[in-house]
Amino acid sequence: MLRLLKVTGNSLTPRFQTGDFVIVSKIPFFFAPVKAGDVVAFHQPGYGTLIKLVESLDPVSGELTVTGTQPESVDSRVFGPVKKSALLGKVIWHVAKPR
Amino acid sequence: MIYKLFQAIDQTLGIQQAKAHCDVPCGIYDPIVAQISALTVVRMIDLMTDLEGKGGEKNKEYFNSMARYVAVKEEHAEKAKAEIRVIWGDFLKAQHLEKHPDTHALVHKIMQLGSKSRQAVDREAAVQFVEAINEFAQIFWEAKGVATKRAKAPYAPALELVYPAL
């Protein structure tokens, strides 16, 4: 139900940076569906476990368009929409690396 | 405290990574290639006009030069379009587009002017192509937080280009 993950990469800077820890969970989805603005972790074939910002949700297919906060982010522009079944959870706790 | 606890867990047990993945190398985008390519299109039209204006026999030398000018015009119009598409698709993000809502229309205009520059020998359209890409360059540098200046290109055709004011 809860999963502890370590962030690597720069596509969500400055909000999330390499070395930060996050706890993700599917529990919030029992109370409210995933929505634009959520930060989610998911499994993407060929890339592994990714953490991205939800940009939009297709009302028909339920697939998510995910993005980063940096122009160079590799996201749905590169690998297309993300299926809900690939979601590992929503970020419910963020522990930033001391800077 | 909590961070140190998680760090200790990571060091002993290893915590799964969630990648906030970026392209490598990050951030190497510049509209100058598109600007110079569009300028080259204008230059080729000028050379074609000069060659035609010289009159004389339409011999193999003439056709050879004209064919080369046309080939370079074709190549550079397409190159400019490709460069703009990459910056538009890969670099510009929703927040940039919110600030410049006319960007999509501008990119479409660039694509059409680029095609017109290939299809015809139309200097006016080619100059508009340069200017539309200048407008795009202005948006790009603003998105990067870099001030710009306009200056004449130091080579023919000496049209104005938008440069970063570094």
Side-chain angles (χ1 to χ4, degrees):
Chain A
M1 295 305 262
L2 296 175
R3 194 185 290 251
L4 176 62
L5 299 170
K6 184 180 182 180
V7 177
T8 62
N10 301 310
S11 78
L12 288 174
T13 55
R15 194 168 159 196
F16 295 86
Q17 304 204 24
T18 293
D20 289 359
F21 292 102
V22 291
I23 289 181
V24 301
S25 173
K26 287 185 177 177
I27 294 171
F29 301 146
F30 294 123
F31 302 100
V34 61
K35 60 183 187 306
D38 285 350
V39 177
V40 294
F42 55 97
H43 179 73
Q44 182 63 32
Y47 291 88
T49 301
L50 298 184
I51 177 171
K52 296 284 170 187
L53 180 68
V54 176
E55 188 174 83
S56 62
L57 185 72
D58 187 315
V60 179
S61 67
E63 291 180 332
L64 310 170
T65 297
V66 296
T67 186
T69 51
Q70 291 299 309
E72 301 81 15
S73 167
V74 172
D75 47 41
S76 286
R77 294 170 303 171
V78 178
F79 49 71
V82 175
K83 288 185 167 53
K84 269 188 187 172
S85 58
L87 285 176
L88 300 174
K90 173 181 171 175
V91 172
I92 57 169
W93 194 22
H94 174 205
V95 179
K97 184 178 179 179
R99 306 184 222 285
Chain B
M1 169 76 176
I2 292 167
Y3 185 86
K4 282 187 176 170
L5 173 67
F6 285 163
Q7 200 174 28
I9 296 170
D10 186 33
Q11 283 164 358
T12 50
L13 301 172
I15 292 174
Q16 186 186 354
Q17 292 186 351
K19 289 175 272 188
H21 194 53
C22 265
D23 264 330
V24 176
C26 277
I28 303 177
Y29 297 99
D30 196 325
I32 194 65
V33 179
Q35 291 169 282
I36 291 172
S37 297
L39 211 56
T40 304
V41 173
V42 178
R43 176 66 175 152
M44 290 304 111
I45 291 172
D46 288 349
L47 289 173
M48 290 165 78
T49 307
D50 286 351
L51 183 62
E52 194 180 44
K54 281 180 186 167
E57 192 190 347
K58 300 284 190 290
N59 56 16
K60 59 179 185 274
E61 292 302 327
Y62 171 90
F63 286 113
N64 184 60
S65 295
M66 196 59 94
R68 294 186 69 196
Y69 298 153
V70 172
V72 172
K73 178 169 78 73
E74 281 278 311
E75 180 194 336
H76 281 77
E78 193 49 47
K79 192 174 184 179
K81 287 174 66 179
E83 290 285 330
I84 294 300
R85 282 197 297 268
V86 167
I87 296 173
W88 173 63
D90 293 358
F91 174 80
L92 291 176
K93 304 285 289 178
Q95 64 263 34
H96 304 136
L97 297 170
E98 274 167 25
K99 207 170 173 188
H100 298 282
D102 296 335
T103 306
H104 293 325
L106 176 62
V107 171
H108 186 247
K109 182 180 168 186
I110 291 169
M111 296 302 121
Q112 292 203 312
L113 285 168
S115 297
K116 195 171 178 186
S117 298
R118 290 178 63 181
Q119 289 159 358
V121 187
D122 184 339
R123 192 178 198 277
E124 183 54 35
V127 170
Q128 285 176 27
F129 188 39
V130 173
E131 196 44 49
I133 293 175
N134 271 339
E135 221 178 298
F136 184 87
Q138 186 86 41
I139 292 170
F140 170 82
W141 290 116
E142 197 177 314
K144 298 274 287 184
V146 176
T148 54
K149 62 180 181 187
R150 289 182 75 101
K152 280 191 173 177
Y155 30 71
L159 299 178
E160 273 197 352
L161 293 183
V162 168
Y163 294 102
L166 302 173

